[in-house]
Amino acid sequence: MNVGMILAGKDFPPDIRVEKEARALRDSGHKVFILCDQVKSNASVQEWEGLTILRRKRLDLPTLFEKFNNIPGWIAFLDGQWSRFIAEVVRSEKIDVLHIHDLPKAGAAVTVGKKIGIPVIMDLHENYPASLRTYVEGWKGGMHFFARNVINPEKWEEYEKIRASQADRVIVVVEEAKERLVQNGISAEKITVIENTEDVDYFKKIPLDLSIIKKYQKDFVVLYIGGFGGRGDHRGLTTAVQAMPLVVKEIPEAKLLLVGKGSIKSTLKEMVAQYSLENQVTFIDWVPFEQVPSYIAASSVCLVPHHSNPHTEATSPHKLFQYMLMRKPVIVSSCRPLKRVVEEIGSGVVFRAGDSEDLCRAILRLRDESIRTTMSEKGYRAVIDSYNWGATSKKLIGIYNSLQKNNGLRCVIGDSSSVQ
């Protein structure tokens, strides 16, 4: 089969989930095409790791005009440029299945799929309407009014229902997301849960940077690595900073290491100054994926401190399983997907979302090395035995095998931009 993955709104690589799916399909004998925007000066056609990247040239407009050019998509979900691009690729490459990641270009994919007569798979990494709402709530004044009325998360909720009902298959990342869609009227039979687990062999092949590990070897490192988020703090990093004055009273060598980027970083830095935590909280800019294992290896415990809201209650990040694969105990908030996995495995401690004192309690519990070791081994064993991409990807391949068997098809996958 021919498989095409669409990443509208950004270039490729990187995109960790799309990369894993593309490799799995490639290794199963499918020819994979990745459709994305030509954001950088990269070639319009490129061969990469046995995949073919096809980049759509953006209009040559100043940044402000480019943003205004996107408004029809936000208001009426219209995107004629992407619809034409997808249709051209489907015809030229004889694509048999469209696989669209997340919501923004779902309409374009479904329209083309129905018109040409090929199946469409929707791969929903998150509760996209709820994610939009968290970002809208983070804006102030005129920008909040504009975003609230132009982006309008409620319209996106209805749009999601319509497109998910029209898709032939729907993929989500946690059971809680499936429950939400079923409650919204989507057939459970068409929904498959494909978790954000890690490709064990690929991850283990990444060499460790010993200089990073050595730098923090005398510290009790509490690590968060990944996106910081926008002006709204749905990832809970403010809670992590607020916990540190309490933590360092009991563990003077404790250091909160925040690795990543996001517009909330300025707020976090203001909090660090307010609490006089300059020596206890360290910020490191976004690092390439090849450095992620080294920072995890340098840590004592690893954090996923999400606040509880409709967005975080329906998704789970890759980092949770990366932490466990590196034999690190995890501390997660009480968001259902996180709590369910960690308590099932016994790989860490759960704290009440948004409660800095309870987060401090969780951190202090893990200063006991024997507890950390026991939880680390449970997490590692669970990843090796079941929570790994080798096992998870079989469900993805199963979807395509089913489509091929029922329709005699080859296939394509697509991914739109995510606000995460």
Side-chain angles (χ1 to χ4, degrees), residues 228-261:
F228 285 10
R231 292 171 177 83
D233 181 34
H234 67 278
R235 288 186 170 88
L237 299 183
T238 52
T239 304
V241 173
Q242 289 167 345
M244 286 307 291
L246 304 173
V247 172
V248 295
K249 288 181 180 179
E250 302 294 331
I251 311 176
E253 69 275 21
K255 183 182 291 292
L256 176 62
L257 187 57
L258 301 176
V259 183
K261 65 179 181 180

PDB file of all heavy atoms in Angstrom, residues 228-261:
ATOM      1  N   PHE A 228       6.272  23.558  27.020  1.00  0.00           N
ATOM      2  CA  PHE A 228       5.832  24.290  28.209  1.00  0.00           C
ATOM      3  C   PHE A 228       4.388  24.768  28.059  1.00  0.00           C
ATOM      4  O   PHE A 228       3.725  25.051  29.047  1.00  0.00           O
ATOM      5  CB  PHE A 228       6.716  25.514  28.457  1.00  0.00           C
ATOM      6  CG  PHE A 228       8.078  25.192  29.016  1.00  0.00           C
ATOM      7  CD1 PHE A 228       8.545  23.888  29.072  1.00  0.00           C
ATOM      8  CD2 PHE A 228       8.894  26.207  29.471  1.00  0.00           C
ATOM      9  CE1 PHE A 228       9.792  23.599  29.580  1.00  0.00           C
ATOM     10  CE2 PHE A 228      10.156  25.938  29.987  1.00  0.00           C
ATOM     11  CZ  PHE A 228      10.603  24.626  30.046  1.00  0.00           C
ATOM     12  N   GLY A 229       3.918  24.876  26.830  1.00  0.00           N
ATOM     13  CA  GLY A 229       2.567  25.376  26.584  1.00  0.00           C
ATOM     14  C   GLY A 229       2.561  26.874  26.369  1.00  0.00           C
ATOM     15  O   GLY A 229       3.580  27.561  26.433  1.00  0.00           O
ATOM     16  N   GLY A 230       1.358  27.382  26.062  1.00  0.00           N
ATOM     17  CA  GLY A 230       1.200  28.800  25.783  1.00  0.00           C
ATOM     18  C   GLY A 230       0.989  29.606  27.047  1.00  0.00           C
ATOM     19  O   GLY A 230       1.512  29.280  28.110  1.00  0.00           O
ATOM     20  N   ARG A 231       0.166  30.636  26.939  1.00  0.00           N
ATOM     21  CA  ARG A 231      -0.032  31.517  28.088  1.00  0.00           C
ATOM     22  C   ARG A 231      -0.809  30.823  29.207  1.00  0.00           C
ATOM     23  O   ARG A 231      -0.696  31.161  30.363  1.00  0.00           O
ATOM     24  CB  ARG A 231      -0.752  32.792  27.629  1.00  0.00           C
ATOM     25  CG  ARG A 231       0.120  33.648  26.719  1.00  0.00           C
ATOM     26  CD  ARG A 231      -0.675  34.797  26.102  1.00  0.00           C
ATOM     27  NE  ARG A 231       0.176  35.651  25.293  1.00  0.00           N
ATOM     28  CZ  ARG A 231       0.506  35.388  24.037  1.00  0.00           C
ATOM     29  NH1 ARG A 231       0.062  34.292  23.452  1.00  0.00           N
ATOM     30  NH2 ARG A 231       1.284  36.209  23.352  1.00  0.00           N
ATOM     31  N   GLY A 232      -1.635  29.862  28.856  1.00  0.00           N
ATOM     32  CA  GLY A 232      -2.316  29.062  29.857  1.00  0.00           C
ATOM     33  C   GLY A 232      -1.414  27.924  30.303  1.00  0.00           C
ATOM     34  O   GLY A 232      -0.677  27.360  29.507  1.00  0.00           O
ATOM     35  N   ASP A 233      -1.488  27.565  31.572  1.00  0.00           N
ATOM     36  CA  ASP A 233      -0.553  26.566  32.104  1.00  0.00           C
ATOM     37  C   ASP A 233      -1.225  25.209  32.251  1.00  0.00           C
ATOM     38  O   ASP A 233      -1.300  24.664  33.344  1.00  0.00           O
ATOM     39  CB  ASP A 233      -0.003  27.030  33.455  1.00  0.00           C
ATOM     40  CG  ASP A 233       0.995  26.028  34.037  1.00  0.00           C
ATOM     41  OD1 ASP A 233       1.721  25.393  33.252  1.00  0.00           O
ATOM     42  OD2 ASP A 233       1.012  25.869  35.268  1.00  0.00           O
ATOM     43  N   HIS A 234      -1.713  24.631  31.153  1.00  0.00           N
ATOM     44  CA  HIS A 234      -2.368  23.331  31.291  1.00  0.00           C
ATOM     45  C   HIS A 234      -1.373  22.220  31.612  1.00  0.00           C
ATOM     46  O   HIS A 234      -1.746  21.152  32.082  1.00  0.00           O
ATOM     47  CB  HIS A 234      -3.168  22.986  30.026  1.00  0.00           C
ATOM     48  CG  HIS A 234      -2.355  22.747  28.796  1.00  0.00           C
ATOM     49  ND1 HIS A 234      -1.878  23.773  28.008  1.00  0.00           N
ATOM     50  CD2 HIS A 234      -1.937  21.600  28.215  1.00  0.00           C
ATOM     51  CE1 HIS A 234      -1.193  23.265  26.992  1.00  0.00           C
ATOM     52  NE2 HIS A 234      -1.213  21.953  27.090  1.00  0.00           N
ATOM     53  N   ARG A 235      -0.076  22.448  31.388  1.00  0.00           N
ATOM     54  CA  ARG A 235       0.915  21.422  31.709  1.00  0.00           C
ATOM     55  C   ARG A 235       1.352  21.443  33.175  1.00  0.00           C
ATOM     56  O   ARG A 235       2.147  20.621  33.604  1.00  0.00           O
ATOM     57  CB  ARG A 235       2.125  21.569  30.784  1.00  0.00           C
ATOM     58  CG  ARG A 235       1.803  21.119  29.359  1.00  0.00           C
ATOM     59  CD  ARG A 235       3.038  21.139  28.484  1.00  0.00           C
ATOM     60  NE  ARG A 235       2.799  20.494  27.212  1.00  0.00           N
ATOM     61  CZ  ARG A 235       2.316  21.088  26.129  1.00  0.00           C
ATOM     62  NH1 ARG A 235       2.001  22.381  26.185  1.00  0.00           N
ATOM     63  NH2 ARG A 235       2.130  20.440  24.997  1.00  0.00           N
ATOM     64  N   GLY A 236       0.877  22.409  33.943  1.00  0.00           N
ATOM     65  CA  GLY A 236       1.081  22.380  35.388  1.00  0.00           C
ATOM     66  C   GLY A 236       2.466  22.770  35.862  1.00  0.00           C
ATOM     67  O   GLY A 236       2.831  22.458  37.006  1.00  0.00           O
ATOM     68  N   LEU A 237       3.239  23.474  35.059  1.00  0.00           N
ATOM     69  CA  LEU A 237       4.608  23.808  35.457  1.00  0.00           C
ATOM     70  C   LEU A 237       4.646  24.859  36.566  1.00  0.00           C
ATOM     71  O   LEU A 237       5.605  24.909  37.335  1.00  0.00           O
ATOM     72  CB  LEU A 237       5.409  24.257  34.238  1.00  0.00           C
ATOM     73  CG  LEU A 237       5.552  23.199  33.131  1.00  0.00           C
ATOM     74  CD1 LEU A 237       6.431  23.708  31.998  1.00  0.00           C
ATOM     75  CD2 LEU A 237       6.108  21.904  33.686  1.00  0.00           C
ATOM     76  N   THR A 238       3.604  25.690  36.665  1.00  0.00           N
ATOM     77  CA  THR A 238       3.567  26.647  37.779  1.00  0.00           C
ATOM     78  C   THR A 238       3.465  25.890  39.108  1.00  0.00           C
ATOM     79  O   THR A 238       4.062  26.299  40.113  1.00  0.00           O
ATOM     80  CB  THR A 238       2.376  27.607  37.639  1.00  0.00           C
ATOM     81  OG1 THR A 238       1.171  26.857  37.460  1.00  0.00           O
ATOM     82  CG2 THR A 238       2.573  28.532  36.435  1.00  0.00           C
ATOM     83  N   THR A 239       2.725  24.794  39.110  1.00  0.00           N
ATOM     84  CA  THR A 239       2.626  23.979  40.327  1.00  0.00           C
ATOM     85  C   THR A 239       3.991  23.420  40.713  1.00  0.00           C
ATOM     86  O   THR A 239       4.349  23.371  41.897  1.00  0.00           O
ATOM     87  CB  THR A 239       1.631  22.815  40.109  1.00  0.00           C
ATOM     88  OG1 THR A 239       0.369  23.346  39.702  1.00  0.00           O
ATOM     89  CG2 THR A 239       1.461  22.004  41.384  1.00  0.00           C
ATOM     90  N   ALA A 240       4.758  22.994  39.710  1.00  0.00           N
ATOM     91  CA  ALA A 240       6.091  22.448  39.982  1.00  0.00           C
ATOM     92  C   ALA A 240       7.002  23.505  40.603  1.00  0.00           C
ATOM     93  O   ALA A 240       7.735  23.219  41.567  1.00  0.00           O
ATOM     94  CB  ALA A 240       6.701  21.920  38.689  1.00  0.00           C
ATOM     95  N   VAL A 241       6.962  24.726  40.079  1.00  0.00           N
ATOM     96  CA  VAL A 241       7.789  25.804  40.640  1.00  0.00           C
ATOM     97  C   VAL A 241       7.331  26.139  42.055  1.00  0.00           C
ATOM     98  O   VAL A 241       8.152  26.317  42.973  1.00  0.00           O
ATOM     99  CB  VAL A 241       7.739  27.054  39.730  1.00  0.00           C
ATOM    100  CG1 VAL A 241       8.452  28.234  40.410  1.00  0.00           C
ATOM    101  CG2 VAL A 241       8.380  26.756  38.380  1.00  0.00           C
ATOM    102  N   GLN A 242       6.021  26.198  42.268  1.00  0.00           N
ATOM    103  CA  GLN A 242       5.494  26.532  43.599  1.00  0.00           C
ATOM    104  C   GLN A 242       5.860  25.489  44.646  1.00  0.00           C
ATOM    105  O   GLN A 242       5.963  25.804  45.838  1.00  0.00           O
ATOM    106  CB  GLN A 242       3.967  26.668  43.521  1.00  0.00           C
ATOM    107  CG  GLN A 242       3.504  27.908  42.772  1.00  0.00           C
ATOM    108  CD  GLN A 242       2.020  27.863  42.432  1.00  0.00           C
ATOM    109  OE1 GLN A 242       1.385  26.808  42.505  1.00  0.00           O
ATOM    110  NE2 GLN A 242       1.471  29.002  42.044  1.00  0.00           N
ATOM    111  N   ALA A 243       6.074  24.259  44.218  1.00  0.00           N
ATOM    112  CA  ALA A 243       6.428  23.204  45.171  1.00  0.00           C
ATOM    113  C   ALA A 243       7.878  23.295  45.641  1.00  0.00           C
ATOM    114  O   ALA A 243       8.216  22.796  46.727  1.00  0.00           O
ATOM    115  CB  ALA A 243       6.188  21.829  44.536  1.00  0.00           C
ATOM    116  N   MET A 244       8.744  23.922  44.861  1.00  0.00           N
ATOM    117  CA  MET A 244      10.175  23.862  45.139  1.00  0.00           C
ATOM    118  C   MET A 244      10.606  24.522  46.448  1.00  0.00           C
ATOM    119  O   MET A 244      11.500  23.999  47.133  1.00  0.00           O
ATOM    120  CB  MET A 244      10.965  24.439  43.964  1.00  0.00           C
ATOM    121  CG  MET A 244      11.000  23.519  42.748  1.00  0.00           C
ATOM    122  SD  MET A 244      11.585  21.848  43.149  1.00  0.00           S
ATOM    123  CE  MET A 244      13.310  22.178  43.533  1.00  0.00           C
ATOM    124  N   PRO A 245      10.034  25.658  46.882  1.00  0.00           N
ATOM    125  CA  PRO A 245      10.449  26.199  48.193  1.00  0.00           C
ATOM    126  C   PRO A 245      10.206  25.207  49.324  1.00  0.00           C
ATOM    127  O   PRO A 245      10.989  25.152  50.288  1.00  0.00           O
ATOM    128  CB  PRO A 245       9.563  27.449  48.346  1.00  0.00           C
ATOM    129  CG  PRO A 245       9.232  27.848  46.953  1.00  0.00           C
ATOM    130  CD  PRO A 245       9.090  26.563  46.200  1.00  0.00           C
ATOM    131  N   LEU A 246       9.134  24.418  49.222  1.00  0.00           N
ATOM    132  CA  LEU A 246       8.833  23.410  50.238  1.00  0.00           C
ATOM    133  C   LEU A 246       9.800  22.235  50.132  1.00  0.00           C
ATOM    134  O   LEU A 246      10.255  21.700  51.145  1.00  0.00           O
ATOM    135  CB  LEU A 246       7.396  22.909  50.062  1.00  0.00           C
ATOM    136  CG  LEU A 246       6.293  23.979  50.087  1.00  0.00           C
ATOM    137  CD1 LEU A 246       4.944  23.355  49.727  1.00  0.00           C
ATOM    138  CD2 LEU A 246       6.228  24.641  51.458  1.00  0.00           C
ATOM    139  N   VAL A 247      10.132  21.857  48.893  1.00  0.00           N
ATOM    140  CA  VAL A 247      11.012  20.703  48.668  1.00  0.00           C
ATOM    141  C   VAL A 247      12.413  20.974  49.196  1.00  0.00           C
ATOM    142  O   VAL A 247      13.014  20.133  49.886  1.00  0.00           O
ATOM    143  CB  VAL A 247      11.055  20.332  47.176  1.00  0.00           C
ATOM    144  CG1 VAL A 247      12.118  19.259  46.906  1.00  0.00           C
ATOM    145  CG2 VAL A 247       9.689  19.840  46.697  1.00  0.00           C
ATOM    146  N   VAL A 248      12.963  22.141  48.878  1.00  0.00           N
ATOM    147  CA  VAL A 248      14.366  22.401  49.224  1.00  0.00           C
ATOM    148  C   VAL A 248      14.577  22.537  50.732  1.00  0.00           C
ATOM    149  O   VAL A 248      15.706  22.403  51.219  1.00  0.00           O
ATOM    150  CB  VAL A 248      14.905  23.649  48.490  1.00  0.00           C
ATOM    151  CG1 VAL A 248      14.926  23.412  46.990  1.00  0.00           C
ATOM    152  CG2 VAL A 248      14.107  24.890  48.842  1.00  0.00           C
ATOM    153  N   LYS A 249      13.498  22.792  51.486  1.00  0.00           N
ATOM    154  CA  LYS A 249      13.640  22.791  52.940  1.00  0.00           C
ATOM    155  C   LYS A 249      14.021  21.408  53.455  1.00  0.00           C
ATOM    156  O   LYS A 249      14.717  21.281  54.467  1.00  0.00           O
ATOM    157  CB  LYS A 249      12.323  23.237  53.588  1.00  0.00           C
ATOM    158  CG  LYS A 249      12.016  24.718  53.426  1.00  0.00           C
ATOM    159  CD  LYS A 249      10.705  25.072  54.112  1.00  0.00           C
ATOM    160  CE  LYS A 249      10.386  26.558  53.957  1.00  0.00           C
ATOM    161  NZ  LYS A 249       9.092  26.899  54.614  1.00  0.00           N
ATOM    162  N   GLU A 250      13.551  20.371  52.770  1.00  0.00           N
ATOM    163  CA  GLU A 250      13.816  18.997  53.173  1.00  0.00           C
ATOM    164  C   GLU A 250      14.941  18.344  52.367  1.00  0.00           C
ATOM    165  O   GLU A 250      15.637  17.462  52.864  1.00  0.00           O
ATOM    166  CB  GLU A 250      12.536  18.158  53.019  1.00  0.00           C
ATOM    167  CG  GLU A 250      11.348  18.666  53.811  1.00  0.00           C
ATOM    168  CD  GLU A 250      11.570  18.559  55.310  1.00  0.00           C
ATOM    169  OE1 GLU A 250      12.318  17.658  55.743  1.00  0.00           O
ATOM    170  OE2 GLU A 250      10.988  19.395  56.054  1.00  0.00           O
ATOM    171  N   ILE A 251      15.082  18.781  51.111  1.00  0.00           N
ATOM    172  CA  ILE A 251      16.135  18.225  50.237  1.00  0.00           C
ATOM    173  C   ILE A 251      16.921  19.402  49.668  1.00  0.00           C
ATOM    174  O   ILE A 251      16.615  19.915  48.583  1.00  0.00           O
ATOM    175  CB  ILE A 251      15.543  17.376  49.083  1.00  0.00           C
ATOM    176  CG1 ILE A 251      14.520  16.357  49.604  1.00  0.00           C
ATOM    177  CG2 ILE A 251      16.651  16.648  48.322  1.00  0.00           C
ATOM    178  CD1 ILE A 251      13.841  15.551  48.511  1.00  0.00           C
ATOM    179  N   PRO A 252      17.924  19.894  50.386  1.00  0.00           N
ATOM    180  CA  PRO A 252      18.657  21.095  49.947  1.00  0.00           C
ATOM    181  C   PRO A 252      19.297  20.942  48.572  1.00  0.00           C
ATOM    182  O   PRO A 252      19.474  21.943  47.852  1.00  0.00           O
ATOM    183  CB  PRO A 252      19.725  21.269  51.038  1.00  0.00           C
ATOM    184  CG  PRO A 252      19.157  20.571  52.234  1.00  0.00           C
ATOM    185  CD  PRO A 252      18.396  19.405  51.694  1.00  0.00           C
ATOM    186  N   GLU A 253      19.643  19.716  48.194  1.00  0.00           N
ATOM    187  CA  GLU A 253      20.310  19.507  46.904  1.00  0.00           C
ATOM    188  C   GLU A 253      19.312  19.330  45.754  1.00  0.00           C
ATOM    189  O   GLU A 253      19.695  19.021  44.619  1.00  0.00           O
ATOM    190  CB  GLU A 253      21.232  18.289  46.968  1.00  0.00           C
ATOM    191  CG  GLU A 253      20.528  16.938  47.094  1.00  0.00           C
ATOM    192  CD  GLU A 253      20.183  16.564  48.522  1.00  0.00           C
ATOM    193  OE1 GLU A 253      20.116  17.463  49.383  1.00  0.00           O
ATOM    194  OE2 GLU A 253      19.966  15.361  48.771  1.00  0.00           O
ATOM    195  N   ALA A 254      18.020  19.524  46.034  1.00  0.00           N
ATOM    196  CA  ALA A 254      17.001  19.349  44.993  1.00  0.00           C
ATOM    197  C   ALA A 254      17.115  20.449  43.944  1.00  0.00           C
ATOM    198  O   ALA A 254      17.364  21.616  44.251  1.00  0.00           O
ATOM    199  CB  ALA A 254      15.609  19.357  45.610  1.00  0.00           C
ATOM    200  N   LYS A 255      16.919  20.054  42.689  1.00  0.00           N
ATOM    201  CA  LYS A 255      16.942  21.006  41.576  1.00  0.00           C
ATOM    202  C   LYS A 255      15.827  20.633  40.612  1.00  0.00           C
ATOM    203  O   LYS A 255      15.698  19.473  40.196  1.00  0.00           O
ATOM    204  CB  LYS A 255      18.287  20.952  40.850  1.00  0.00           C
ATOM    205  CG  LYS A 255      18.412  21.975  39.713  1.00  0.00           C
ATOM    206  CD  LYS A 255      19.735  21.845  38.993  1.00  0.00           C
ATOM    207  CE  LYS A 255      20.903  22.273  39.856  1.00  0.00           C
ATOM    208  NZ  LYS A 255      20.906  23.733  40.132  1.00  0.00           N
ATOM    209  N   LEU A 256      15.005  21.609  40.275  1.00  0.00           N
ATOM    210  CA  LEU A 256      13.965  21.420  39.261  1.00  0.00           C
ATOM    211  C   LEU A 256      14.556  21.798  37.909  1.00  0.00           C
ATOM    212  O   LEU A 256      14.979  22.932  37.705  1.00  0.00           O
ATOM    213  CB  LEU A 256      12.747  22.292  39.574  1.00  0.00           C
ATOM    214  CG  LEU A 256      11.607  22.270  38.544  1.00  0.00           C
ATOM    215  CD1 LEU A 256      11.007  20.873  38.410  1.00  0.00           C
ATOM    216  CD2 LEU A 256      10.515  23.285  38.926  1.00  0.00           C
ATOM    217  N   LEU A 257      14.586  20.840  37.003  1.00  0.00           N
ATOM    218  CA  LEU A 257      15.169  21.047  35.679  1.00  0.00           C
ATOM    219  C   LEU A 257      14.042  21.059  34.658  1.00  0.00           C
ATOM    220  O   LEU A 257      13.354  20.049  34.460  1.00  0.00           O
ATOM    221  CB  LEU A 257      16.166  19.930  35.376  1.00  0.00           C
ATOM    222  CG  LEU A 257      17.013  20.048  34.114  1.00  0.00           C
ATOM    223  CD1 LEU A 257      17.821  21.337  34.105  1.00  0.00           C
ATOM    224  CD2 LEU A 257      17.949  18.838  34.008  1.00  0.00           C
ATOM    225  N   LEU A 258      13.816  22.214  34.034  1.00  0.00           N
ATOM    226  CA  LEU A 258      12.745  22.388  33.052  1.00  0.00           C
ATOM    227  C   LEU A 258      13.371  22.527  31.672  1.00  0.00           C
ATOM    228  O   LEU A 258      14.019  23.531  31.377  1.00  0.00           O
ATOM    229  CB  LEU A 258      11.908  23.619  33.393  1.00  0.00           C
ATOM    230  CG  LEU A 258      11.235  23.614  34.778  1.00  0.00           C
ATOM    231  CD1 LEU A 258      10.516  24.931  35.025  1.00  0.00           C
ATOM    232  CD2 LEU A 258      10.276  22.443  34.905  1.00  0.00           C
ATOM    233  N   VAL A 259      13.165  21.520  30.836  1.00  0.00           N
ATOM    234  CA  VAL A 259      13.796  21.473  29.512  1.00  0.00           C
ATOM    235  C   VAL A 259      12.711  21.589  28.452  1.00  0.00           C
ATOM    236  O   VAL A 259      11.844  20.710  28.336  1.00  0.00           O
ATOM    237  CB  VAL A 259      14.578  20.156  29.307  1.00  0.00           C
ATOM    238  CG1 VAL A 259      15.272  20.159  27.954  1.00  0.00           C
ATOM    239  CG2 VAL A 259      15.577  19.943  30.430  1.00  0.00           C
ATOM    240  N   GLY A 260      12.719  22.666  27.692  1.00  0.00           N
ATOM    241  CA  GLY A 260      11.717  22.845  26.646  1.00  0.00           C
ATOM    242  C   GLY A 260      11.455  24.307  26.391  1.00  0.00           C
ATOM    243  O   GLY A 260      12.238  25.185  26.784  1.00  0.00           O
ATOM    244  N   LYS A 261      10.339  24.575  25.747  1.00  0.00           N
ATOM    245  CA  LYS A 261      10.011  25.968  25.434  1.00  0.00           C
ATOM    246  C   LYS A 261       8.499  26.152  25.400  1.00  0.00           C
ATOM    247  O   LYS A 261       7.729  25.199  25.367  1.00  0.00           O
ATOM    248  CB  LYS A 261      10.608  26.373  24.087  1.00  0.00           C
ATOM    249  CG  LYS A 261      10.023  25.631  22.889  1.00  0.00           C
ATOM    250  CD  LYS A 261      10.640  26.113  21.586  1.00  0.00           C
ATOM    251  CE  LYS A 261      10.042  25.378  20.380  1.00  0.00           C
ATOM    252  NZ  LYS A 261      10.625  25.842  19.110  1.00  0.00           N
TER     253      LYS A 261
END
